[in-house]
Amino acid sequence: MTRLVNIRPGRKAAAGLAAIPLILIVIGYMIASAVRHAANPADKLLPTFMAMGKAFKNLALDADPITGQILLWADTLASLERLGIALAIATVTSILLGLALGLIPLIRAQFGALVATISVIPPIAILPVLFIVFGLGEASKIMLIVIGITPVMVRDVAAFVAALPQEQMIKAQTLGAGSWLLTIRVALPQMMPRLIVALRLSLGPAWVFLISAEAIAADVGLGYRIFLVRRYLSMDIILPYVAWISLLAILIDMALQFISRKAFPWANRSSN
Amino acid sequence: MSLLSFRNVWVEYGDKVVLERVNIDINAGSFVSIIGPSGAGKSTFLRLALGQEAPSQGQVFLDGKPLRPEPGPDRGIVFQRYSVFPHLNVRENVIFGLDCASSPILGRSFGAARRRAVEQAEEMLIAVGLGHVMNEYATALSGGMQQRLAIAQALVKNPRVLLLDEPFGALDPGIRADMHELVTGLWQQHQLTIMMVTHDLKEAFKLGTRVLSFDKRRVDPHAPHRYGATAVYDMELTRKNQAAEAARMMAAI
Ligand SMILES: Nc1ncnc2c1ncn2[C@@H]1O[C@H](COP(=O)(O)OP(=O)(O)OP(=O)(O)O)[C@@H](O)[C@H]1O
Ligand SMILES: [Mg+2]
């Protein structure tokens, strides 16, 4: 008999298998919600899909009477701007430090241990410091994300660059490349796909830091909204927001993956 | 004057002596095969010529001048593996060396320089038999083709000496024979000086005009690293003595 580890689903079967747990969760939620609403029609804990759809529609389409803004878009824009700036800073820093640490033994000797040390500091623990130093504005929220994800990304790409085959580095030097050309023509292009992988893996933590910072000090943003309406037990807003955040996260991840495939086709081949 | 000279060269790592008292002159135009047991320091010897490593004692001269201990464009290298750039296609792998020389800031040439580089690279690729795969990524090639590419990369730089460290060690016999033909042809055509490390004795005698064998002259059974290896056999091969030397060598080992 075929062993369990060797049974592989086909494409269609795999999609079907993946859908089953999701469908079961939705059905389970609907049943639980219906049961609670039968007992108490004003139940707030498990809102029906109808109620959530209505609340989400209000946020997505109707302007807020006080600010005149459409809240969902204002929140989304604010959060994505913070996230985008932070990811850009983290990416540029990772490119520069990753190359420097990965390629130049002197720099690795001097700063490698420092980066390793910084990367073990729990970023949330220094959030108060950030608020004190950068104030309660945008800078501290962006810095929290940057500090939260950059050290790990730097270490990852630096280790990758350092592990590029020595033979290749020697070969490039025999072809006339000096330190600079080694950096931009040999190490940088090979590092890029790895950098995108590191960025994709950092997206999860980045969202966590973003929402934490927004929950503590903000007046607009996806995380701010969730924590604001929590006071009113508005699950009909919180759950759609969580779904919306997840959707954004998935879309960003897919976009990065798409860019990597298009820009670095050689990286997705296995070498022989 | 010889092209490369090793003058009383020693290589030591801590207490471990790898090479001792190496005195060798390599003449321009020779094809030197380097053989010897595993760990005898053949690659170390090649790294000295490459400049990847400096001797702990003694000196290496290239064209009579002390060799700077750093790889440079006057010495080409082909390793057993990993000598091609996976992120570049075959043509760009060869153009790389030309661009490094013509464009030290960007590492890329444009316009007429670019056209010249492309032409030169394609000519070289056709010469090594890769004319039909110039647009493929280097890692999409078979092992033998990757080695051809690595040779082409080195040769467009017109190196004073071409260093090969078990270049065909990972290839199967049929492909190896093709590669022998290629290397011999290129050696004659470009009047190269070649130093090749190999584990294959037949290969060493078939290709080389001179065979160096590295091994330890003395062994201290209580301290195996106390003495280093050196060139224990050094044979100039002419057409006439080639077969005889090969037989003698086989018998000795
Ligand atoms: N950086 C280093 N530090 C310490 N020992 C080293 C170093 N590099 C090489 N050696 C030692 O030097 C000796 C010779 O190594 P080398 O690679 O030159 O041998 P080789 O003749 O090329 O062997 P093989 O046929 O297996 O390739 C080995 O014992 C190796 O362990
Ligand atoms: Mg070796």
Side-chain angles (χ1 to χ4, degrees):
Chain A
M1 204 180 76
T2 313
R3 293 186 193 95
L4 195 53
V5 289
N6 292 328
I7 302 177
R8 295 173 204 284
R11 252 183 105 87
K12 274 191 191 149
L17 286 174
I20 290 173
L22 292 176
I23 292 170
L24 286 181
I25 289 173
V26 169
I27 292 174
Y29 180 91
M30 281 162 74
I31 294 170
S33 171
V35 169
R36 285 188 72 100
H37 279 85
N40 171 15
D43 178 72
K44 299 199 78 169
L45 201 61
L46 297 182
T48 59
F49 278 102
M50 283 273 287
M52 286 193 281
K54 196 159 151 275
F56 193 69
K57 197 174 133 257
N58 282 342
L59 287 167
L61 299 179
D62 304 339
D64 182 57
I66 302 163
T67 60
Q69 286 180 314
I70 298 176
L71 286 181
L72 179 71
W73 302 121
D75 287 340
T76 305
L77 211 67
S79 288
L80 286 185
E81 189 179 323
R82 290 166 189 147
L83 194 68
I85 295 174
L87 294 180
I89 295 174
T91 303
V92 171
T93 313
S94 301
I95 291 175
L96 296 178
L97 288 184
L99 288 172
L101 288 166
L103 278 178
I104 305 173
L106 285 177
I107 293 186
R108 183 158 55 235
Q110 195 163 13
F111 296 107
L114 180 66
V115 173
T117 311
I118 291 175
S119 68
V120 301
I121 300 174
I124 295 285
I126 57 167
L127 185 55
V129 180
L130 296 179
F131 281 142
I132 293 167
V133 175
F134 295 103
L136 296 179
E138 295 301 295
S140 54
K141 293 188 258 303
I142 291 169
M143 280 310 291
L144 176 68
I145 304 174
V146 170
I147 291 177
I149 64 174
T150 309
V152 179
M153 286 174 64
V154 168
R155 283 184 74 185
D156 185 67
V157 293
F160 178 80
V161 170
L164 285 174
Q166 186 65 23
E167 288 93 335
Q168 234 185 75
M169 297 294 156
I170 302 288
K171 177 82 183 186
Q173 291 178 57
T174 66
L175 298 179
S179 307
W180 170 247
L181 289 181
L182 270 181
T183 307
I184 63 163
R185 293 249 16 224
V186 181
L188 176 64
Q190 294 192 68
M191 183 184 90
M192 287 310 290
R194 179 59 171 238
L195 178 72
I196 291 184
V197 171
L199 188 61
R200 286 175 59 203
L201 290 174
S202 295
L203 276 177
W207 278 102
V208 172
F209 297 129
L210 173 70
I211 289 169
S212 317
E214 287 179 343
I216 296 168
D219 47 21
V220 64
L222 296 167
Y224 163 76
R225 194 68 52 201
I226 294 179
F227 277 79
L228 181 72
V229 302
R230 176 191 61 110
R231 292 180 211 157
Y232 316 112
L233 225 63
S234 299
M235 289 292 267
D236 54 344
I237 295 180
I238 295 176
L239 292 181
Y241 254 64
V242 171
W244 175 240
I245 291 172
S246 310
L247 182 67
L248 290 176
I250 291 172
L251 289 179
I252 295 173
D253 185 66
M254 279 169 49
L256 286 174
Q257 196 176 2
F258 179 78
I259 291 170
S260 183
R261 275 219 205 101
K262 284 283 157 211
F264 314 112
W266 46 268
N268 300 305
R269 280 170 195 287
S270 56
S271 70
N272 46 356
Chain B
M1 189 182 59
S2 52
L3 179 69
L4 259 178
S5 316
F6 297 78
R7 286 275 161 276
N8 191 28
V9 166
W10 293 63
V11 174
E12 291 152 65
Y13 300 109
D15 290 342
K16 183 173 185 176
V17 182
V18 175
L19 291 179
E20 61 177 38
R21 244 174 292 174
V22 176
N23 284 294
I24 290 169
D25 290 293
I26 309 282
N27 290 326
S30 54
F31 192 134
V32 182
S33 299
I34 299 160
I35 55 177
S38 192
K42 305 181 295 295
S43 298
T44 307
F45 180 63
L46 223 55
R47 282 201 298 275
L48 289 172
L50 184 60
Q52 191 184 344
E53 230 167 284
S56 357
Q57 296 177 45
Q59 263 190 309
V60 184
F61 296 91
L62 177 66
D63 288 324
K65 289 187 277 291
L67 187 78
R68 203 161 50 103
E70 206 170 37
D74 46 5
R75 283 147 291 150
I77 179 89
V78 175
F79 293 107
Q80 188 171 4
R81 288 191 64 183
Y82 303 122
S83 337
V84 299
F85 302 116
H87 61 292
L88 299 176
N89 71 23
V90 168
R91 186 186 289 106
E92 295 295 333
N93 259 283
V94 178
I95 292 176
F96 179 89
L98 301 170
D99 280 358
C100 283
S102 65
S103 166
I105 306 293
L106 294 176
R108 282 174 198 284
S109 52
F110 299 95
R114 164 84 192 170
R115 280 195 298 278
R116 266 200 310 279
V118 170
E119 208 172 291
Q120 205 182 335
E122 294 189 344
E123 206 173 296
M124 184 53 75
L125 282 168
I126 291 166
V128 300
L130 292 180
H132 58 299
V133 290
M134 294 198 281
N135 294 317
E136 302 273 347
Y137 279 107
T139 44
L141 302 185
S142 67
M145 286 162 115
Q146 288 191 21
Q147 292 309 75
R148 284 171 188 264
L149 176 56
I151 292 170
Q153 281 179 302
L155 287 190
V156 282
K157 299 294 285 181
N158 286 320
R160 301 285 288 128
V161 53
L162 181 61
L163 308 168
L164 311 172
D165 194 349
E166 300 184 37
F168 317 129
L171 307 179
D172 54 61
I175 309 278
R176 228 187 255 211
D178 294 345
M179 296 299 289
H180 291 166
E181 215 165 285
L182 173 71
V183 169
T184 311
L186 292 171
W187 171 64
Q188 283 165 350
Q189 198 182 327
H190 294 253
Q191 301 178 346
L192 299 168
T193 309
I194 297 183
M195 291 167 70
M196 177 184 75
V197 172
T198 176
H199 271 278
D200 182 342
L201 282 180
K202 274 210 206 106
E203 180 174 279
F205 281 93
K206 176 174 160 196
L207 300 183
T209 56
R210 179 177 175 189
V211 177
L212 288 177
S213 167
F214 277 81
D215 208 346
K216 296 183 192 233
R217 272 196 209 285
R218 347 167 243 182
V219 179
D220 181 343
H222 303 294
H225 300 314
R226 175 136 156 232
Y227 300 115
T230 190
V232 290
Y233 288 89
D234 184 351
M235 286 151 285
E236 292 284 348
L237 300 180
T238 57
R239 283 257 161 270
K240 253 182 282 165
N241 73 352
Q242 199 161 14
E245 285 288 0
R248 204 166 64 88
M249 187 71 214
M250 300 274 190
I253 293 171

